Every structure is written in structure tokens, then in C-alpha cells.
């Protein structure tokens, strides 16, 4: 039930992120009153749709799902209002790259979700795993499958945010390996009295070097 409720409002993550970016831009430009229109749009849509949720829902359990969808639609309207106000203030926002990223994320998510659902049904995880331990294990397995496929598609699509994550992880791995190599070398030196020379690749901080 919790997963179903979250899934109905999960689409709000992208418009919610856009709203936060719009607000930061207006505040940075010292236009503190302009975001009021964004907040008014979000609030009006959320209140209106929230009032309709109990009327439209055929069962009481559906009210929670519709409230989540109402929140997501509210942020969607807020993102549209913010985009219009920014375009009016700054001109062309050059949203082609953002749109490409959003569409690729949606495609990758759908592909990962479809593959996860297919594998879950083929393996019969719903019948194999019962109880809270089984359910937890099933969610963990499905999450690994979906996130792995989704992340792989985004990586091959060369999404900048995903590439930044892989670069950061590779730096952590190299740093860990360097620490392990130094520890092994110190142990060998303590046992044999011979200090080995370890050749390591330099790591560059691009911002600092500039």
C-alpha cells in the first residue's frame, strides 16, 4: 500500500526539482515577490484537487493515492508557471538539454521498471518470498535489477549527472586502493626492513589547477 501511494506521486520529483531551481534563480536576482505566483499556483491546484479526491475516489483507500497525484500535479503547474516567468524575464531558457535529459530518464525508468516486473514474474518472487523478511528481500532484488538497468541506460546515454556520480565513485575507489597499497607496503617494510617504491597515478583537481 505504501509503495502504491508513493508511485502515484513519484512523477512529481522532476517538476518539484524544477520549481526549486526557479525559486533559487528568482531569489538570486533579488526578485523575492515573483516566486509568490509559483507558490499560489501550486497551492491552488493542490487545494482544488485535494477537495475533489474524496468525491472522485470510488473507495476510501484511493483517496491517499489521489492526494499524492494532486501534490504532483500542483508542482507540475508550479514548474510551468516558473518556466513562463523565467522566459518572460530572461528570454530563451535553452531547455533543449533539460528536455533531452528528462525524456531519457523517463525512458530508462520505464525500461528498468518493465524489466524488473518481467523478471519478478518469471522467477515467481511473489510466491517464493512470504512474510516481512521475504517481502524485504523481494524489494531489494527488484531494486537492484531496476536501478542497475536504469543507471546503465543513463550512463550509456552520457547524462552529465550520472557521469559525475561515476567519476566521484572512481575517485573513491582509487583513493581506497592507494590507502590499501600504502598499508601493504608499510607492513612489508616492517617485516623485511626493505622499503618498496609504489608508483601511483597522480590525481588532478581540475578546479584547483585552473
Amino acid at each position: 500500500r505504501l509503495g502504491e501511494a508513493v508511485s502515484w506521486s513519484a512523477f512529481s520529483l522532476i517538476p518539484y526539482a524544477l520549481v526549486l531551481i526557479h525559486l533559487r534563480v528568482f531569489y538570486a536576482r533579488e526578485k523575492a515577490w515573483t516566486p509568490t505566483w509559483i507558490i499560489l499556483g501550486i497551492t491552488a491546484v493542490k487545494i482544488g484537487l485535494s477537495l475533489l479526491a474524496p468525491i472522485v475516489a470510488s473507495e476510501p483507500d484511493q483517496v491517499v493515492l489521489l492526494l499524492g497525484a494532486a501534490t504532483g500535479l500542483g508542482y507540475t503547474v508550479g514548474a510551468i508557471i516558473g518556466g513562463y516567468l523565467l522566459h518572460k524575464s530572461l528570454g530563451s531558457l535553452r531547455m533543449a538539454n533539460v528536455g533531452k535529459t528528462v525524456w531519457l530518464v523517463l525512458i530508462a525508468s520505464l525500461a528498468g521498471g518493465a524489466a524488473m516486473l518481467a523478471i519478478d514474474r518469471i522467477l515467481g518472487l511473489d510466491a517464493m518470498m512470504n512474510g516481512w523478511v521475504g517481502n524485504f528481500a523481494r524489494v531489494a532484488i527488484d531494486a537492484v535489477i531496476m536501478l542497475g538497468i536504469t543507471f546503465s541506460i543513463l550512463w550509456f546515454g552520457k547524462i552529465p549527472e550520472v557521469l559525475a556520480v561515476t567519476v566521484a565513485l572512481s575517485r573513491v575507489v582509487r583513493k581506497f586502493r592507494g590507502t590499501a597499497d600504502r598499508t601493504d607496503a608499510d607492513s612489508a617494510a616492517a617485516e623485511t626492513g626493505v622499503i618498496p617504491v609504489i608508483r601511483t597515478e597522480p590525481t588532478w583537481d581540475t578546479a584547483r589547477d585552473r
Side-chain angles (χ1 to χ4, degrees):
R1 183 174 299 177
L2 178 61
E4 188 177 7
V6 172
S7 66
W8 273 69
S9 59
F11 71 94
S12 65
L13 290 176
I14 293 177
Y16 175 70
L18 291 175
V19 167
L20 293 182
I21 294 174
H22 296 163
L23 295 179
R24 289 180 65 88
V25 172
F26 285 120
Y27 290 141
R29 292 172 56 83
E30 298 182 355
K31 294 184 177 182
W33 284 103
T34 304
T36 303
W37 298 107
I38 301 176
I39 303 302
L40 286 176
I42 295 173
T43 305
V45 172
K46 287 178 65 176
I47 291 176
L49 295 180
S50 297
L51 291 174
L52 289 176
I55 301 175
V56 176
S58 58
E59 298 179 1
D61 291 344
Q62 292 182 355
V63 176
V64 177
L65 306 181
L66 294 178
L67 289 177
T71 300
L73 292 175
Y75 283 118
T76 302
V77 172
I80 294 173
I81 296 174
Y84 170 76
L85 294 176
L86 277 180
H87 178 75
K88 187 176 180 181
S89 176
L90 301 176
S92 178
L93 301 178
R94 300 180 181 179
M95 296 292 290
N97 291 333
V98 177
K100 177 183 176 182
T101 299
V102 170
W103 280 112
L104 189 55
V105 169
L106 290 175
I107 293 173
S109 300
L110 290 174
M116 176 270 294
L117 184 62
I119 295 174
D120 183 272
R121 293 292 185 269
I122 293 174
L123 296 179
L125 296 181
D126 56 339
M128 293 171 53
M129 299 180 177
N130 298 316
W132 71 269
V133 176
N135 291 330
F136 186 84
R138 181 187 178 190
V139 170
I141 295 172
D142 289 344
V144 170
I145 296 172
M146 180 173 179
L147 292 177
I149 295 175
T150 303
F151 187 87
S152 299
I153 295 175
L154 295 178
W155 186 79
F156 281 108
K158 299 186 182 301
I159 299 300
E161 293 80 4
V162 174
L163 296 179
V165 172
T166 57
V167 170
L169 291 177
S170 64
R171 288 178 178 176
V172 172
V173 172
R174 287 199 301 267
K175 184 177 180 180
F176 177 78
R177 287 180 178 177
T179 302
D181 292 340
R182 287 194 297 270
T183 302
D184 294 340
D186 292 341
S187 299
E191 294 177 359
T192 63
V194 178
I195 301 178
V197 177
I198 299 177
R199 303 176 65 90
T200 60
E201 296 181 359
T203 56
W204 306 103
D205 189 334
T206 304
R208 184 187 62 190
D209 294 340
R210 288 177 181 172

